Amino acid sequence: DVKVTQSSRYLVKRTGEKVFLECVQDMDHENMFWYRQDPGLGLRLIYFSYDVKMKEKGDIPEGYSVSREKKERFSLILESASTNQTSMYLCASSFGSPRGKLFFGSGTQLSVL
Amino acid sequence: EDKVVQSPLSLVVHEGDTVTLNCSYEVTNFRSLLWYKQEKKAPTFLFMLTSSGIEKKSGRLSSILDKKELFSILNITATQTGDSAVYLCAGNSGGSNYKLTFGKGTLLTVNP
């Protein structure tokens, strides 16, 4: 089975802190994604990567950056966390197919106080 | 801008009922439509639809796509309490990125 692992299930940070969310997949997938999920807003794409060291902005990249130094790992970075970044963060990966079937991690519930 | 709209946003039924969840989409260079089930945290894949009029089926769940009218439905027959979840629909646009645009989801509650 494909496994997408997110390093933390729950995280509490203070405003202004630098926050790292880590995601690892074990199926040699080319594509990796970071979404955030908020009540009433659904899943929104923050960033994605289709190859090592490659990244593209999604729909809501402001306040975030990403890093993909190895194929299996995709990190989301909040340079200076703010309260409006309190959310559920979901990482996903997929094969290099245009059809888009994503495999999701279990999510990280981030609270910024 | 790509858009996916699901209806209803929430639904409460009794065990044994049949439900139909709706998804309409406006997606540039449409490639496929996907359905996911989200019970706790990670959405799990249900169906991927690429061709109009061909029903995909898995047990009590089935789904069909209408590319002319730009919508899809997900049917669940003989519902069980374990079907309670948020059901997500997503449209996949083509091009060099394999981006999915998600709807807001339908929260299905199945009462015993």
Side-chain angles (χ1 to χ4, degrees):
Chain A
D1 276 354
V2 174
K3 197 163 182 187
V4 180
T5 303
Q6 294 184 230
S7 53
S8 306
R9 289 293 295 269
Y10 301 95
L11 212 50
V12 180
K13 295 292 181 181
R14 297 242 176 244
T15 303
E17 279 193 77
K18 190 168 186 175
V19 181
F20 292 86
L21 302 183
E22 305 287 345
C23 176
V24 177
Q25 50 94 3
D26 66 357
M27 278 301 290
D28 205 35
H29 285 173
E30 286 85 353
N31 310 310
M32 296 188 76
F33 305 80
W34 276 106
Y35 287 86
R36 65 177 282 177
Q37 186 174 30
D38 300 287
L41 296 177
L43 273 79
R44 294 178 292 165
L45 181 64
I46 305 171
Y47 267 97
F48 66 98
S49 168
Y50 51 88
D51 202 351
V52 175
K53 295 193 186 293
M54 306 300 286
K55 62 185 179 185
E56 286 204 28
K57 293 179 181 179
D59 299 317
I60 50 163
E62 296 79 18
Y64 302 95
S65 62
V66 290
S67 171
R68 193 162 180 207
E69 296 296 318
K70 293 185 178 181
K71 192 174 185 180
E72 67 271 19
R73 187 179 295 271
F74 192 36
S75 302
L76 180 70
I77 303 151
L78 287 67
E79 294 289 342
S80 177
S82 63
T83 54
N84 63 12
Q85 292 178 309
T86 291
S87 185
M88 168 65 72
Y89 289 88
L90 288 163
C91 175
S93 68
S94 72
F95 290 110
S97 156
R99 294 188 176 182
K101 178 179 173 181
L102 298 184
F103 296 86
F104 283 89
S106 296
T108 296
Q109 179 62 52
L110 173 67
S111 297
V112 182
L113 307 178
Chain B
E1 184 180 325
D2 294 343
K3 193 164 72 169
V4 174
V5 178
Q6 292 185 246
S7 64
L9 290 182
S10 66
L11 190 55
V12 180
V13 300
H14 290 289
E15 266 192 321
D17 288 351
T18 293
V19 298
T20 298
L21 309 184
N22 303 295
C23 176
S24 65
Y25 65 91
E26 294 174 28
V27 173
T28 312
N29 298 322
F30 174 82
R31 294 267 191 177
S32 61
L33 188 125
L34 295 92
W35 285 96
Y36 284 84
K37 177 182 182 183
Q38 186 175 23
E39 290 179 83
K40 291 178 182 176
K41 302 295 183 188
T44 53
F45 173 79
L46 293 175
F47 298 112
M48 180 164 62
L49 303 151
T50 57
S51 302
S52 245
I54 297 175
E55 186 182 52
K56 292 273 181 106
K57 202 168 167 64
S58 175
R60 296 176 294 103
L61 278 66
S62 63
S63 184
I64 197 161
L65 177 69
D66 185 327
K67 287 171 82 171
K68 185 178 174 187
E69 300 297 330
L70 305 182
F71 78 88
S72 174
I73 60 172
L74 175 69
N75 278 323
I76 309 174
T77 58
T79 51
Q80 301 171 357
T81 55
D83 295 325
S84 296
V86 174
Y87 290 84
L88 298 167
C89 169
N92 175 231
S93 62
S96 61
N97 67 67
Y98 308 126
K99 188 181 113 166
L100 292 185
T101 299
F102 282 86
K104 293 180 181 179
T106 294
L107 173 61
L108 174 65
T109 304
V110 182
N111 289 325

